Amino acid sequence: MIRTIKLPFYAKLSFILITLICFAFIFCVGKDIITPVLMAFLFAVLLLPIFTLLNVRLKFPRHLAAILCVLIFAAFIVGILVFISYQVKDIANDFDAIKKNVNVFIIEVHKFVKDNFHISIGEQKKYLDTVTKDSVKNGGVVTLGSAILSITDLLIDCTIIPIYTFLFLLYKDHFILFLAKLVNKEDHSALKDILGQIRVSINNYIVSLLLEMIVVSILTGLGLWIVGVKYFILLGLITGILNLIPYIGITIAGIITLLASLSGTPETSVFLSILLVNLVVQLIDNNLLVPLIINSKVEINAFVSILGIIVGGAAAGISGMFLAIPLLAILKIIFERIESLEPWGYLMGNHMPRKFTWRIRKLKIEN
């Protein structure tokens, strides 16, 4: 018989914090190995309904069903990339016009700085040349090496993530049986409930992201079409895709849109219109789409979400930012079903009590 040891609150809190620190340290040290595994796990959960359809209902062999799921997912990604590549080819044909308009725009910026800040164009160019030379001298080799390493890591991830996804689908029941062996039989119903909730939460999150991407793409494309920007379909799609990257994605999309708009005109009014379109779309996304589509599905409050995204970005870059929300959702589900950790699950949730009143029992003093 296993005797349960009751610990005081400070001891429980210490053990929880030490455990979290250990997990964070392991993730930071092994992020290059762990991140692709977690990404593949999310994709495998997303593809699980298709795998079940092929394997259980249509009686496909497990290996064939898993391969078909990965191929379907890869075909979807490749289709988007092919569409973008064809559109980018059209933008490349306007390279001369973009180059000319960039020069015109730079001249206008120089004149604006000269008129408002009384800095001559020669001094501006001298300062820019100095900054450029220092950047190349100090960080050129490092930047080139970092770029080569990033491209290499990207190619490795693009190869190994589909393999991991295939293996997750293939050994799904094997992993479930392993988890069942870790817990007592009387806790199997709780384990089944946790796994089911994790699957639903991850599916809802990824589907919500795709829906948000589609809505942002449509709104951005429509806004760019109204202000007369060329290639509004491509730029809307790029904005929707990059919007999946918290914080920095929309900034990169805005820069790309501004550069692409130079294929038509260098007028400042167009730039301001593009900034206004991006601002309006972001306001709609942050105040309407995210609360209704994302937060309502994963049930994580905004404070924990932002904190998790910042920590994920610091630990593993863009991949860590993308993985932060689903990992928080998984932790919340687990915490809510473990009695000692239930308060932490409540802390991560988005349930807002209308009013809280302390209930303190008054002891009667006998004379």
Side-chain angles (χ1 to χ4, degrees), residues 236-248:
L237 179 61
I238 291 176
T239 302
I241 294 174
L242 292 177
N243 191 59
L244 299 178
I245 305 173
Y247 305 127
I248 63 174

Side-chain angles (χ1 to χ4, degrees), residues 59-118:
K59 305 301 181 181
F60 279 66
R62 296 181 64 87
H63 292 77
L64 181 58
I67 291 174
L68 288 176
C69 288
V70 175
L71 290 178
I72 291 172
F73 182 74
F76 175 75
I77 301 297
V78 171
I80 295 177
L81 295 178
V82 169
F83 173 77
I84 292 176
S85 65
Y86 275 113
Q87 295 292 318
V88 170
K89 186 186 297 183
D90 294 335
I91 295 179
N93 295 331
D94 294 332
F95 179 76
D96 293 334
I98 294 175
K99 183 178 179 180
K100 179 181 177 181
N101 291 331
V102 166
N103 292 329
V104 173
F105 178 74
I106 291 175
I107 292 173
E108 289 186 359
V109 172
H110 281 315
K111 290 180 179 179
F112 176 82
V113 174
K114 179 183 177 182
D115 295 338
N116 292 274
F117 299 97
H118 307 291

